[in-house]
Amino acid sequence: MASQGPPRLHLVLLPLYAATLWGCEPALRPPSTPHNTPPRLEVSPALDIIPLRVGQAVEFAATVEDAEEGAALGANVLWVSSIEGQLARGARATLAFLEPGEQRLTASVVDAGGLAASASLHLNVLARGAPMATVLRPTPGSTFNLGELLDLECMAMTERGVRLQGRAVQWTSALSGPLPAGDVVRATLSVAGEDTLRCTAVDSATQVSATAEVRVTVRATRAPSVRILRPEPTEIFVKQGEAPPHGASVRFAATAQDFHAEGGAGNLDGAVEWSLAPSGQPLGRGPALTHAFTTPGVYTVRARVVDGRGNTASDSVRVRLVTNLPPRCELEFPTTENPRVLVGVPSLLRAHCVDPETEQPVEPIWTTSAEPTPLGTGEAVSAVLSVAGAQVLSACAVDPEDTALSGCVERPVRAIINTPPTGCSIQAPLPNAVVNAGVPLTLTGSASDAEDARTGLRYTWVSSRDGALAQGPSTHTARLSTPGHHVLTLTATDPWGLACAAAVAVTVNGAPDVRVESVMQGVLDCGRGPCLEGQPVVLTGFARPAAPQGHIEELAWLDNLAGSLLAGALPLPTATLGFPFAGRHTTVLAATDQDGAMSRAATSFTVLPLGRARLMEDVQDAQRPVVALALTPDGLRYADGASPRVYAERASTTVLDVNAPALSLHAFQGGNVLFVGTEGGGVLRCVQRTCTRHTGAMLGATGAAVTAVAAWESPDVLLLGTRRGLVLTRASDPASGGRAGTVGGRRLLEGREVRQLVISPGSSPERVTAWAATSGGLAEITIWADDDFEPGLADVSVRLHAPPAIPDDDVLSVAVGPEGQVFAGTRKGFSALGQPGPALRDAPWRLQDEEIRTLHFERQAVDARTQDILWAGTKNGLVRYDVSADIATHFGMEEGLPDPDVSALLVAPGGPRYVGTARGLVTYPWH
């Protein structure tokens, strides 16, 4: 203590000394208390983009900074909901909301000095059974003029993965009131100001609704507007003899509006004046016109309007009529869905350029707007970008005949320095939870990433004892089956493979031991050989609880063809099929114990009709590979993938000779038009056995394979899948407007192999929805049509669905039901869009193969009820999946397949099911 005396004495004497020198100064005030600074509080993560549901446990975290009390002040954080009141206390809180709807969650804290800080999150809590709604158009912050026509699009998906459309989606404006109904509509706003547009989607199956909102600004301006809708680019190259959009006859369209006149958007369309600038040569008047350019040169086409008050507006597009078109380029990677590359690390860049005149490939030169030197030359290059941030990536090819002419494709990208995801956490199940085997378990987790939105991360759930469970941040699983201690691990992986993980321990109550012991028809064992139609079949099972003191609470028998069966008494559960249908049966015995743990056992057996030796019948003279099937007025036709022929089921029907191996078939207009996709020979349009070949142009260089075909009559749509993308053209004439024998239109899905195409039966003359199974996800293609529909100029949107909405990115097959239900087949099984699929390799099915190479949806009428059946072809047999009963039935060579490799399926209306295999074609006439 003595060592501290002098400093203290000095501090006391110094003010006294000062007072003697300046006696006129007032006496010094006593020392003030230390200054208290307010705390700082931040809430993370921002969960307003996550679909929250009533009862779903979600963890929230608050970060508190305080100069005086430090992080310890976080223990005093109070969490309050604007609807449900005080919920929890502490820096981290796991909350489960009980009330649906929009609410504000506020975290607040007060320090010892009475100073406070708070932060809030806006949450939209969905009710159980409510759909998920998202406003896609317009974007937040958009600005419109009064009466301007705007596009509204609301993506509303039910819990079952079905998109809601039509009257199920309602729009309202906070200022203008009700707007037209529909998931995709056009509307005008009549009141100026800051507006909120709301879409409300109602799931008719649950009668529960969900809403989504977007804020926009409506200006009070009354000046006219004019916008050229077609062509879309501001500059186009055209040539005599080419199909749209590259033909010399160019279709122009515009819309205009006088905001002082009645009629709303488009009320000035008839007054649009078209002219060539700068000469002013008039071309015509009205909303649309077609002008044929004859003399090579550069033209500026202008659309101009004058409103009732003399105000003018104009828009323009440049047209270059050339004798030699520049190369046409498509950028395949990086994709539009993930336009990012890594800084300082080799990144794959891939583009495809062709010379339109010769249809030969031309090597592109790669550049970026952020760097002065080229990145490389070639269709595929491994480039290292050195500058981070937003930039434009370009691939440009020089024309072989004119070095001053080049064709380019550009894509805005962002070069990033990648870091691993962080903050992996599991909100459900809770640590040390006790769960029941076989019962769906909710899995909820989260993670954050500096470079990727939360939706860009891939989430996988794995059990230490039962293996892979599910995908996605919020999902469920029924795959926990092994009793005892489990560690569940959630791994969040970014697109470049960096990951974080979290784990939680749970205990699984064992499920009952259940099995089907026998299937007997009198003395005939149906498990060893086929049974016969018309005689009762008795099934005997076994069920025992896992716990010695437990008991079986419930038993249920379910047959895939007969439905629910009446269960017999314990201890030997039995069921009887009094009059079994002919076909392949799968009967499931489900047992639930006193704790709710459930397990299923299944057995499959064949019931033959009298006089038949097996279920399937060979198609005569069809003992060859079958890769494609189509129904025509001549009967069934099929292709083997190797021969330049299209074969017929009927021996009396002539074989169609084509120019190259036939890969894909599609019957159109009641089967009167048959499209044949070939390996290297383009596509053939066959009418009454006369075929016209179309190749080149949008199909690319000679050698392109047409792997899938789909068509729609109105609008006139033909979709051609290839190994490098999709072509949209005309079904009536793929070469319409261009050179004879070529394929016009436009290309989509660049760089992706298209395996199967299906057009949704809910499509209309105004909008066609198609689904494509591709090597890069399940593609949803929407085509909007107008009175002057032109495929090469059509308004088209593409949305790619990836895991966890589907089992895997590599989609091999797709099927669509009558109401628009979509199913995707992959190398990891199949599922309805947005829902987990059946675990085909697991109990009770235990199939050897889950690679789904082809899918076909069938709605069967059985007595007074209907069944939705999904037929799936694998390399190891045929699978019949009952969608509502969740029963998978396997067919192999014992049931009549000539080969287990199934690659083509077709169900004839009111007729048999055709199954194409690697060694022949068979029919299956039973349910």
Side-chain angles (χ1 to χ4, degrees):
M1 296 296 294
S3 63
Q4 298 180 7
R8 293 180 65 189
L9 179 63
H10 176 70
L11 290 172
V12 174
L13 291 176
L14 183 59
L16 292 175
Y17 175 71
T20 60
L21 291 177
W22 305 97
C24 61
E25 291 291 329
L28 292 177
R29 297 177 180 176
S32 62
T33 59
H35 178 66
N36 181 29
T37 59
R40 294 182 57 192
L41 185 148
E42 294 182 356
V43 178
S44 64
L47 295 176
D48 53 331
I49 63 172
I50 294 180
L52 299 176
R53 291 195 180 273
V54 168
Q56 174 186 340
V58 178
E59 185 177 14
F60 295 84
T63 303
V64 179
E65 297 178 3
D66 189 78
E68 291 76 31
E69 299 178 58
L73 189 59
N76 296 336
V77 172
L78 189 65
W79 298 87
V80 178
S81 161
S82 58
I83 293 179
E84 302 181 30
Q86 182 174 330
L87 300 177
R89 183 182 292 274
R92 303 183 75 87
T94 299
L95 307 178
F97 297 94
L98 303 179
E99 297 293 333
E102 295 185 358
Q103 55 185 283
R104 179 190 294 269
L105 178 65
T106 301
S108 60
V109 68
V110 180
D111 67 10
L115 298 181
S118 65
S120 298
L121 291 174
H122 292 278
L123 303 178
N124 185 18
V125 181
L126 299 179
R128 291 185 176 92
M132 176 69 181
T134 305
V135 176
L136 301 182
R137 291 185 294 173
T139 57
S142 297
T143 300
F144 304 99
N145 291 332
L146 276 176
E148 181 178 349
L149 187 67
L150 61 149
D151 295 315
L152 305 178
E153 181 174 4
C154 181
M155 171 69 75
M157 303 290 290
T158 69
E159 282 189 304
R160 307 178 306 281
V162 177
R163 180 167 179 173
L164 298 177
Q165 298 176 331
R167 302 292 300 179
V169 180
Q170 300 285 330
W171 288 91
T172 57
S173 158
L175 299 179
S176 301
L179 301 175
D183 60 324
V184 180
V185 297
R186 288 188 165 187
T188 59
L189 302 176
S190 57
V191 180
E194 299 298 320
D195 201 356
T196 299
L197 306 181
R198 170 180 290 184
C199 83
T200 302
V202 181
D203 185 349
S204 59
T206 63
Q207 291 301 311
V208 182
S209 65
T211 62
E213 295 180 346
V214 62
R215 293 190 62 83
V216 299
T217 300
V218 184
R219 290 191 296 248
T221 180
R222 296 294 177 179
S225 69
V226 62
R227 181 165 59 97
I228 293 179
L229 305 175
R230 187 182 297 171
E232 293 181 15
T234 57
E235 182 179 58
I236 62 171
F237 287 80
V238 297
K239 179 184 175 182
Q240 296 281 359
E242 295 292 325
H246 305 296
S249 184
V250 181
R251 180 73 172 172
F252 298 93
T255 185
Q257 182 175 0
D258 181 351
F259 293 100
H260 301 286
E262 297 181 354
N267 63 0
L268 269 186
D269 286 2
V272 176
E273 298 175 349
W274 299 88
S275 63
L276 287 178
S279 65
Q281 175 189 342
L283 299 179
R285 185 183 178 92
L289 62 82
T290 300
H291 181 72
F293 295 88
T294 57
T295 304
V298 180
Y299 302 86
T300 299
V301 177
R302 177 168 295 167
R304 182 177 181 271
V305 293
V306 182
D307 69 9
R309 298 188 178 184
N311 298 316
T312 65
S314 65
D315 195 9
S316 64
V317 61
R318 179 173 295 179
V319 179
R320 294 180 180 267
L321 178 62
V322 297
T323 56
N324 179 33
L325 288 172
R328 184 176 63 249
C329 296
E330 298 172 353
L331 204 156
E332 299 177 357
F333 196 84
T335 64
T336 54
E337 295 76 34
N338 185 24
R340 291 169 298 175
V341 291
L342 299 180
V343 174
V345 177
S347 297
L348 174 64
L349 310 178
R350 189 169 67 234
H352 184 61
C353 299
V354 297
D355 180 7
E357 281 72 31
T358 64
E359 296 177 358
Q360 295 302 309
V362 184
E363 285 195 336
I365 300 172
W366 293 87
T367 59
T368 173
S369 59
E371 301 185 32
T373 58
L375 300 173
T377 301
E379 187 169 304
V381 301
S382 180
V384 177
L385 276 70
S386 58
V387 180
Q391 49 201 281
V392 177
L393 185 67
S394 302
C396 297
V398 177
D399 189 88
E401 297 180 10
D402 183 358
T403 56
L405 187 64
S406 63
C408 297
V409 60
E410 296 180 342
R411 180 155 297 159
V413 300
R414 180 172 292 276
I416 63 172
I417 300 173
N418 193 38
T419 58
T422 59
C424 273
S425 63
I426 296 175
Q427 289 84 49
L430 297 175
N432 302 314
V434 178
V435 301
N436 292 320
V439 178
L441 173 68
T442 298
L443 303 174
T444 306
S446 61
S448 59
D449 191 85
E451 297 79 34
D452 298 282
R454 295 174 62 84
T455 54
L457 299 176
R458 295 289 175 88
Y459 296 82
T460 57
W461 297 83
V462 177
S463 162
S464 57
R465 303 185 69 179
D466 288 330
L469 299 178
Q471 299 184 78
S474 181
T475 182
H476 66 271
T477 183
R479 296 189 180 186
L480 289 174
S481 59
T482 305
H485 180 76
H486 290 241
V487 175
L488 307 186
T489 301
L490 167 66
T491 302
T493 307
D494 72 11
W496 290 274
L498 299 183
C500 68
V504 65
V506 300
T507 300
V508 178
N509 286 332
D513 179 13
V514 59
R515 56 184 180 270
V516 179
E517 298 278 12
S518 65
V519 184
M520 303 297 294
Q521 190 176 60
V523 297
L524 183 62
D525 186 350
C526 303
R528 295 180 178 272
C531 293
L532 298 177
E533 187 180 21
Q535 302 177 36
V537 172
V538 178
L539 298 103
T540 303
F542 172 85
R544 180 177 61 192
Q549 288 76 33
H551 64 274
I552 299 299
E553 187 75 22
E554 183 181 359
L555 282 172
W557 292 89
L558 185 64
D559 185 78
N560 65 326
L561 301 184
S564 297
L565 306 179
L566 184 62
L570 293 171
L572 290 176
T574 61
T576 300
L577 279 168
F579 191 88
F581 294 114
R584 183 72 170 161
H585 287 252
T586 296
T587 306
V588 175
L589 173 60
T592 306
D593 69 11
Q594 74 286 346
D595 295 322
M598 190 269 286
S599 62
R600 296 192 298 172
T603 186
S604 294
F605 57 96
T606 296
V607 175
L608 290 176
L610 296 176
R612 294 283 294 269
R614 59 181 188 171
L615 290 175
M616 297 186 180
E617 295 181 351
D618 292 330
V619 173
Q620 188 177 0
D621 299 326
Q623 287 71 47
R624 58 176 60 87
V626 178
V627 300
L629 299 163
L631 280 174
T632 72
D634 294 329
L636 183 83
R637 287 193 175 272
Y638 63 95
D640 65 4
S643 306
R645 297 177 181 87
V646 178
Y647 298 95
E649 177 188 13
R650 301 173 186 168
S652 59
T653 302
T654 305
V655 172
L656 283 178
D657 290 319
V658 294
N659 58 300
L663 298 179
S664 55
L665 302 174
H666 180 75
F668 182 53
Q669 293 181 341
N672 294 306
V673 177
L674 178 66
F675 289 101
V676 183
T678 70
E679 177 74 75
V683 63
L684 290 93
R685 187 178 188 275
C686 303
V687 181
Q688 296 180 349
R689 306 176 191 175
T690 299
C691 298
T692 304
R693 178 190 177 203
H694 298 271
T695 188
M698 291 299 124
L699 277 182
T702 302
V706 178
T707 54
V709 184
W712 192 257
E713 188 167 0
S714 179
D716 189 7
V717 167
L718 176 64
L719 296 171
L720 304 176
T722 75
R723 296 193 178 109
R724 302 195 68 143
L726 181 70
V727 175
L728 167 61
T729 184
R730 286 191 182 277
S732 60
D733 180 10
S736 178
R739 290 170 289 166
T742 60
V743 177
R746 63 183 297 181
R747 290 182 59 85
L748 305 164
L749 301 175
E750 297 92 339
R752 291 174 172 85
E753 181 179 354
V754 178
R755 281 73 175 263
Q756 191 171 358
L757 286 166
V758 179
I759 293 180
S760 174
S763 296
S764 67
E766 293 76 29
R767 187 176 75 173
V768 173
T769 300
W771 297 87
T774 82
S775 57
L778 177 65
E780 179 183 3
I781 303 125
T782 304
I783 305 164
W784 283 272
D786 53 22
D787 294 337
D788 300 314
F789 177 72
E790 174 56 59
L793 303 170
D795 185 7
V796 180
S797 68
V798 176
R799 183 186 181 199
L800 284 167
H801 299 270
I806 55 177
D808 189 53
D809 280 311
D810 194 7
V811 183
L812 306 178
S813 52
V814 61
V816 180
E819 285 81 33
Q821 316 97 306
V822 181
F823 300 86
T826 73
R827 302 182 195 277
K828 298 179 181 179
F830 63 82
S831 75
L833 181 62
Q835 300 180 34
L840 298 177
R841 290 185 180 271
D842 295 347
W845 320 124
R846 301 192 185 282
L847 302 187
Q848 297 181 21
D849 184 26
E850 60 181 2
E851 181 178 311
I852 310 301
R853 310 180 72 185
T854 183
L855 282 174
H856 193 94
F857 184 93
E858 179 190 8
R859 176 159 291 171
Q860 296 182 356
V862 182
D863 297 330
R865 60 190 176 93
T866 61
Q867 286 181 297
D868 286 347
I869 304 300
L870 195 65
W871 297 93
T874 76
K875 290 187 296 184
N876 196 50
L878 174 68
V879 177
R880 177 194 187 274
Y881 180 68
D882 189 312
V883 176
S884 59
D886 184 27
I887 297 179
T889 303
H890 178 263
F891 296 75
M893 296 183 68
E894 298 82 0
E895 287 69 53
L897 287 178
D899 190 275
D901 189 351
V902 178
S903 53
L905 296 168
L906 189 146
V907 178
R913 294 130 197 99
Y914 290 92
V915 184
T917 76
R919 293 185 181 179
L921 178 64
V922 294
T923 61
Y924 178 72
W926 322 107
H927 291 293

